[in-house]
Amino acid sequence: MTSFKKSFVKPLARPSELYTVEDSYWKKLTSPVLVKEFGPIDYVHFSRRAPYHFAISSSARVQVYNPVTKVVTKNLNKFKEAAYGATFRSDGQLLCAGGEESIVRLFEVNTKSMLRQFRGHKAAVHRTYFTRDGHHIASFSDDKTVSLWDISSQQISGHYEGYHKDYIRAGCVSPVSENIFVSGGYDKKINMFDSRTKSVTMSVDHESPVESLIFLPSGSLLISAGGIEVRIWDVLAGKLLAKLTQNHKTVTALCLAKQGTSIVTASLDKHVKIYNVSTFQLSHDITYPSAVLSIDISRDDKTIVAGTVDGIVNITKRDTSVKHNNANKKRQARAAAIVQSDGIDISVPIMQPDQMSKFDTALRKFNYSQALDLVLVHAVAFKKPHVTVYVFDELCRRNGLVQAISGRNSKQLAFLLNFIVRYIGVRKLSKTLTHVASTVIDCYWDSFDTCTLEVRALLTKLHTVVENEILLTKRLLAINGLVKMLMISSEVLPDASQTTKLDNKIVVKN
């Protein structure tokens, strides 16, 4: 008989500081969400912009997932054969991908429209990346060539042939220069190209077929993976700095975490290992049920996505809740904790398992509408909103949100809209409630004309709240830009105490 695990609703808590112990930072991971695709997961890539959507390249399509709801938001299926190496541009608006058809495709993410097709390679293109300026795409192909494409003119601006003697399955672009990019081939060679000189500026031997390449944020260190080794190279001196040899099968993928201070490796030995950049020591190890082909971590380190050879997308969240001492736990068990989030006081009592048994039972029986009814009551929705949002998340994960929201009368719809209006501006709840609001509008779009005056008034209020949030975000971004300009100016200008005037010239002392 199948057993069900009881739900655990994590109460809202104050933002916690990063753990000082590296292992503790990664140790507490939530239960993974598994999504089955039609083929092996060739590549995983996160957008650099919140809410950090991620693209999965598998079979003959590229799918963009929402990390909060874990459901597909965009399906790019313009491929006739296998799609490879889909990556976002830094602004998250465009996505490029290679494929078995030897064509590099450029998509607009929001509209799913294909903007460009770059033809010129004679074999499969396994990796594609936007350059730092976002105006060019570097592609790495099985025809043993590397190409640089100009997006605006749809023409090739650089073609590098004869530097590799076998398939090129790995590549990366410099994070500090739009002219530098690196290729890694199955001939064990790693070549660095400069588009200004049209030649190789550095060439090293990894001594194994190269599977993955990545730069550290400084652009001075290059990490290569091939065979059972991960190697760190000083690109300025062109020499090897360190070797990481913790795996016993081929290392297939690399990515960075903790703002570039941790190196993450994935391997066919079913292990994902995390290393500290400063010491190159192993700090944590995650085991998966099957061989891992691809890995990436969101910029805020909250979501880890791994793709396996058997076509499983493993989505894991990192638990960022505060670890309380025993005294705090006893005190919280006796009384409710009052948490202030974005200026709104939210009462968050500690939930006991029997308090959640009702909606848990409804979820087990797939009565999604009943489960939502049980948490859309005043005693839960406006006193324990995190419980209601948890049920929304669970319904999204089960693809049951539309079923739960549809078919509600005017009174129930008004209560739902009132809850969304009240909490959509709360930072910890806004991602889920934005998706719920969009689903409500989609479900009741044709019947809004016949709704009651109360529902119409709540829709108008929701529109006003969302507009105010957008306006506030724009103002904060403008302030952030001004602050960054001031900080950059203060770093560029030399200190007056370090300058002297000689012969009518300003000389800056080193």
Side-chain angles (χ1 to χ4, degrees):
M1 182 175 179
T2 304
S3 62
F4 292 88
K5 183 179 178 181
K6 289 188 177 182
S7 299
F8 171 73
V9 182
K10 182 177 66 176
L12 294 175
R14 297 183 183 277
S16 62
E17 295 182 358
L18 296 179
Y19 298 128
T20 55
V21 180
E22 183 75 12
D23 187 65
S24 300
Y25 187 82
W26 299 105
K27 193 170 185 180
K28 196 169 184 182
L29 300 175
T30 60
S31 299
V33 175
L34 305 180
V35 180
K36 184 71 173 74
E37 289 289 348
F38 291 105
I41 311 303
D42 172 74
Y43 200 70
V44 179
H45 190 256
F46 271 94
S47 172
R48 303 294 289 171
R49 295 298 179 93
Y52 307 115
H53 290 81
F54 59 91
I56 299 294
S57 305
S58 177
S59 187
R61 62 184 180 180
V62 174
Q63 297 195 108
V64 179
Y65 284 78
N66 186 315
V68 178
T69 61
K70 284 88 172 177
V71 297
V72 176
T73 60
K74 308 292 179 185
N75 188 356
L76 310 177
N77 53 7
K78 301 293 184 181
F79 303 86
K80 295 180 182 179
E81 298 183 48
Y84 300 132
T87 57
F88 288 97
R89 196 166 72 173
S90 58
D91 59 4
Q93 300 298 316
L94 298 181
L95 180 145
C96 64
E100 195 68 32
E101 304 165 71
S102 70
I103 301 172
V104 179
R105 290 178 169 87
L106 178 67
F107 298 90
E108 185 178 13
V109 177
N110 291 331
T111 62
K112 301 189 297 183
S113 58
M114 186 166 61
L115 304 180
R116 296 281 191 274
Q117 289 190 75
F118 302 98
R119 300 175 182 269
H121 285 295
K122 299 177 182 178
V125 179
H126 279 264
R127 294 292 176 261
T128 59
Y129 299 95
F130 288 96
T131 56
R132 184 178 179 274
D133 58 7
H135 298 155
H136 296 81
I137 297 173
S139 60
F140 307 86
S141 173
D142 279 355
D143 62 8
K144 310 171 190 177
T145 66
V146 179
S147 294
L148 193 65
W149 307 90
D150 185 88
I151 295 176
S152 58
S153 65
Q154 202 173 346
Q155 299 296 322
I156 190 168
S157 60
H159 186 68
Y160 304 86
E161 187 174 357
Y163 297 101
H164 286 280
K165 298 179 181 179
D166 206 340
Y167 296 157
I168 302 176
R169 295 288 176 88
C172 65
V173 295
S174 172
V176 296
S177 173
E178 60 272 13
N179 301 303
I180 303 296
F181 49 98
V182 183
S183 65
Y186 276 14
D187 59 357
K188 309 176 185 179
K189 296 293 183 182
I190 299 172
N191 293 322
M192 178 180 290
F193 301 93
D194 190 327
S195 61
R196 294 166 293 189
T197 62
K198 308 291 184 181
S199 63
V200 171
T201 58
M202 184 193 77
S203 182
V204 293
D205 190 352
H206 185 83
E207 298 181 358
S208 294
V210 182
E211 300 287 347
S212 184
L213 292 169
I214 193 169
F215 272 104
L216 288 182
S218 64
S220 60
L221 295 183
L222 175 71
I223 307 168
S224 62
I228 61 172
E229 287 188 351
V230 175
R231 298 189 176 192
I232 294 89
W233 306 87
D234 184 340
V235 298
L236 300 178
K239 65 179 182 179
L240 179 65
L241 293 182
K243 295 181 183 180
L244 309 179
T245 57
Q246 299 285 342
N247 295 96
H248 61 271
K249 287 188 179 180
T250 301
V251 180
T252 55
L254 297 168
C255 71
L256 299 177
K258 295 188 68 176
Q259 305 297 319
T261 60
S262 292
I263 303 169
V264 183
T265 68
S267 172
L268 295 180
D269 62 8
K270 306 180 183 180
H271 287 270
V272 168
K273 298 182 183 293
I274 302 174
Y275 300 86
N276 190 304
V277 168
S278 59
T279 62
F280 300 129
Q281 297 297 314
L282 181 66
S283 58
H284 193 63
D285 189 349
I286 306 172
T287 304
Y288 286 85
S290 56
V292 184
L293 278 183
S294 51
I295 185 80
D296 202 10
I297 298 178
S298 62
R299 193 173 187 179
D300 58 2
D301 294 337
K302 291 183 179 179
T303 308
I304 305 173
V305 179
T308 62
V309 295
D310 53 0
I312 299 295
V313 181
N314 191 303
I315 308 169
T316 310
K317 303 289 286 187
R318 188 176 63 83
D319 192 352
T320 57
S321 60
V322 180
K323 288 189 174 181
H324 303 285
N325 56 36
N326 293 332
N328 286 338
K329 289 182 179 179
K330 292 179 180 179
R331 184 161 58 253
Q332 287 181 348
R334 291 193 300 267
I338 304 300
V339 177
Q340 186 172 6
S341 178
D342 296 344
I344 299 177
D345 287 334
I346 306 175
S347 179
V348 186
I350 300 301
M351 298 293 296
Q352 300 298 328
D354 57 341
Q355 293 177 272
M356 297 183 289
S357 59
K358 292 183 179 180
F359 74 76
D360 242 346
T361 302
L363 287 173
R364 292 174 188 175
K365 295 180 179 179
F366 305 101
N367 294 330
Y368 297 146
S369 183
Q370 181 185 358
L372 187 57
D373 289 338
L374 291 170
V375 294
L376 279 180
V377 293
H378 192 276
V380 179
F382 296 112
K383 293 185 178 180
K384 299 180 279 289
H386 65 292
V387 177
T388 306
V389 172
Y390 168 82
V391 174
F392 277 130
D393 282 332
E394 187 66 17
L395 290 172
C396 290
R397 190 178 71 83
R398 295 167 178 244
N399 292 324
L401 183 61
V402 174
Q403 178 184 339
I405 290 176
S406 302
R408 296 185 169 270
N409 58 39
S410 297
K411 184 177 180 181
Q412 293 172 324
L413 183 58
F415 192 95
L416 174 59
L417 288 172
N418 195 16
F419 175 81
I420 295 173
V421 168
R422 180 167 182 176
Y423 293 111
I424 197 170
V426 178
R427 180 174 57 85
K428 295 179 181 295
L429 310 178
S430 60
K431 289 182 180 180
T432 300
L433 292 182
T434 300
H435 179 70
V436 172
S438 177
T439 305
V440 170
I441 293 172
D442 290 340
C443 290
Y444 293 92
W445 178 261
D446 296 330
S447 59
F448 280 146
D449 293 337
T450 59
C451 289
T452 62
L453 293 176
E454 182 184 8
V455 172
R456 294 183 185 179
L458 286 169
L459 286 171
T460 304
K461 189 174 181 181
L462 176 61
H463 182 266
T464 303
V465 169
V466 172
E467 279 193 333
N468 291 338
E469 289 293 326
I470 293 173
L471 181 61
L472 177 61
T473 302
K474 289 181 178 179
R475 289 177 178 175
L476 291 175
L477 288 173
I479 294 172
N480 184 46
L482 292 173
V483 171
K484 286 184 177 179
M485 289 177 62
L486 292 174
M487 293 177 65
I488 292 173
S489 299
S490 64
E491 292 176 359
V492 171
L493 292 175
D495 190 355
S497 63
Q498 296 180 337
T499 62
T500 58
K501 191 171 183 180
L502 296 174
D503 299 330
N504 297 325
K505 295 181 180 180
I506 301 295
V507 179
V508 182
K509 292 184 178 180
N510 293 326

